[in-house]
Amino acid sequence: LESIGFVFACPPPWEQRFQELMDFKKQNGHANVPSRFGPLGTWVRTQRQAFLLLKRGKDSPMTIDRLEKLDIIGFRFNIHEKNHEHS
């Protein structure tokens, strides 16, 4: 496929989207990206879904390291609660 010019599209690495989230926070004063905010909004929604899987003890791409990074910048895993707890 590459020989005929096909380009494989891969999603940006997690760290790249996290940097975009930090840039969003710097510009907007918060890390609560609307889920309909383009690719970053989709990524944010995916992080919330991954957190729920982790919380339920299921296979999840959410790692403790990622969870801590998101938590440190004030990311809300449950948008329906003002104060969230991970347990």
Side-chain angles (χ1 to χ4, degrees):
L1 289 173
E2 290 174 344
S3 66
I4 60 169
F6 184 82
V7 178
F8 292 92
C10 297
W14 192 92
E15 290 292 333
Q16 181 180 333
R17 286 283 188 236
F18 181 71
Q19 182 61 52
E20 291 174 24
L21 178 60
M22 290 194 308
D23 293 343
F24 177 92
K25 180 180 179 180
K26 185 177 180 181
Q27 292 175 356
N28 297 281
H30 61 82
N32 301 314
V33 179
S35 62
R36 293 189 176 110
F37 192 80
L40 183 57
T42 300
W43 182 83
V44 162
R45 185 172 56 246
T46 301
Q47 301 315 299
R48 289 186 175 120
Q49 291 168 344
F51 171 72
L52 287 175
L53 289 172
L54 180 69
K55 190 174 178 178
R56 293 176 183 153
K58 298 184 178 187
D59 288 337
S60 171
M62 180 62 66
T63 64
I64 298 302
D65 181 56
R66 290 177 176 181
L67 180 79
E68 289 173 352
K69 286 181 178 183
L70 290 166
D71 195 45
I72 286 170
I73 66 165
F75 182 79
R76 287 176 44 200
F77 292 91
N78 184 338
I79 57 174
H80 303 294
E81 294 177 3
K82 288 193 176 205
N83 296 318
H84 67 274
E85 294 198 17
H86 299 308
S87 5

